[in-house]
Amino acid sequence: MKVLIIDDSAEALLLAKARLAQESLEVICANSGREGLDTAAAEMPDLILLDVDMPDMSGFTVCQMLQQSPTLCMVPVIFLSGSQDARDKVRGLDLGAVDYVTKPFDAFELRARVRAALRTKRLQDLLLTCTQIDPLTELGNRRALDAGLQQEWSRAERTGTPLALVMVDIDLFKRVNDHFGHHGGDDVLARVASILRNQCRQCDRVFRYGGEEFVLLLPGESAASAANVADRCRRAIAQWPVKTVKGVVEVTASFGTADSRQASCSQELIDLADAAMYNAKRQGRNCVCLAQQPQLRRAV
């Protein structure tokens, strides 16, 4: 697991890093509050050891900003301070820190407190994972999409690279449920989810948006390049009928693509891709449309 130490003292950073050397952790360091926030956003640590007294920004302010971040608010914070003042400890814990260690810290105590915080973080992550997985398709659900989209949107803003979003809707899915039953519909959803996952890169993320809709997040891609991925998925879905206990289901899907350069916020990105997907429906289904730029239907 990854631990970030934020302290303006080079000596304190080296000491804390040395104290944790036996814990088989990846330890990264930042020597100011601002650098610490930037490093946390880039590295997504599992635990932050945070000095209270720093010249550019106090640890209390850094902790507040971490708590306000949708991607970092769940990262546990342990304050490090030379102050014995109980009011500082109370303030740090009230701000959301999980622990408060006084300098100079005992090596055994520091490692024990770090282990305890990381155990809690592991359980927290496990619980969060369980609440973010769709049990039928084993894809991330809408809650996972909200978190993943915010994370990728922040990354795109930070790096200046585009982020493409693809909205997918299975065509005439109600007819599938009507003719093949809900078990047949579940078989179709599971097969489409598997195809979408297999057609994407390892860095891409696939979610079940709800009902018969799915979302693909494609970091570094434009709406146009995402349309190529979407068309590959479209052809794969159309070429693999789904066998159910009530017969074989011919399945197609409609796709809409948009990218972050077309949107002012993550919700607008979803809305643009959704509008493009409905445009694909109006064009006869089983096709791919770009936001504000329809793409001609291709033969299966």
Side-chain angles (χ1 to χ4, degrees), residues 79-98:
F79 273 117
L80 305 177
S81 176
S83 173
Q84 298 280 354
D85 193 331
R87 290 173 297 182
D88 285 343
K89 296 181 181 181
V90 170
R91 183 182 178 188
L93 296 172
D94 283 344
L95 286 173
V98 299

Side-chain angles (χ1 to χ4, degrees), residues 15-126:
L15 182 60
K17 191 171 183 178
R19 292 290 187 265
L20 298 177
Q22 299 178 21
E23 294 300 312
S24 300
L25 300 170
E26 179 183 354
V27 179
I28 49 181
C29 299
N31 58 20
S32 70
R34 175 51 58 189
E35 182 185 348
L37 289 170
D38 293 340
T39 303
E43 297 289 343
M44 294 301 298
D46 297 292
L47 174 65
I48 296 174
L49 302 184
L50 178 57
D51 183 32
V52 172
D53 300 311
M54 294 183 289
D56 70 322
M57 184 186 300
S58 76
F60 295 135
T61 301
V62 173
C63 188
Q64 286 178 312
M65 296 182 71
L66 290 169
Q67 292 295 314
Q68 293 167 5
S69 167
T71 57
L72 297 170
C73 61
M74 300 300 288
V75 179
V77 173
I78 296 178
F79 273 117
L80 305 177
S81 176
S83 173
Q84 298 280 354
D85 193 331
R87 290 173 297 182
D88 285 343
K89 296 181 181 181
V90 170
R91 183 182 178 188
L93 296 172
D94 283 344
L95 286 173
V98 299
D99 210 340
Y100 193 107
V101 179
T102 303
K103 299 177 182 178
F105 40 75
D106 177 80
F108 295 103
E109 179 187 4
L110 179 65
R111 291 202 294 268
R113 291 179 183 273
V114 165
R115 288 196 298 269
L118 289 175
R119 279 197 300 270
T120 302
K121 180 64 164 55
R122 290 189 191 98
L123 293 174
Q124 171 189 295
D125 289 347
L126 179 61

Side-chain angles (χ1 to χ4, degrees), residues 168-182 184-185 188-189 192 211-213 237 249-255 277-278 280-282 284-287 297:
V168 187
D169 186 89
I170 300 174
D171 296 326
L172 304 173
F173 187 70
K174 185 177 184 301
R175 293 185 185 179
V176 175
N177 281 332
D178 290 344
H179 289 104
F180 297 91
H182 288 285
V188 169
L189 290 168
V192 169
E212 67 273 22
E213 290 186 308
I237 291 169
V249 186
E250 300 288 340
V251 183
T252 64
S254 299
F255 296 75
M277 183 270 292
Y278 277 105
K281 295 285 188 184
R282 288 190 291 269
R285 306 182 184 90
N286 188 29
C287 63
R297 178 172 176 167

Side-chain angles (χ1 to χ4, degrees), residues 4 11 34-35 93 104 106-107 148 219 258 267 269 277 288 296:
L4 169 62
E11 182 181 353
R34 175 51 58 189
E35 182 185 348
L93 296 172
D106 177 80
Q267 183 57 53
L269 179 60
M277 183 270 292
V288 179
L296 295 177

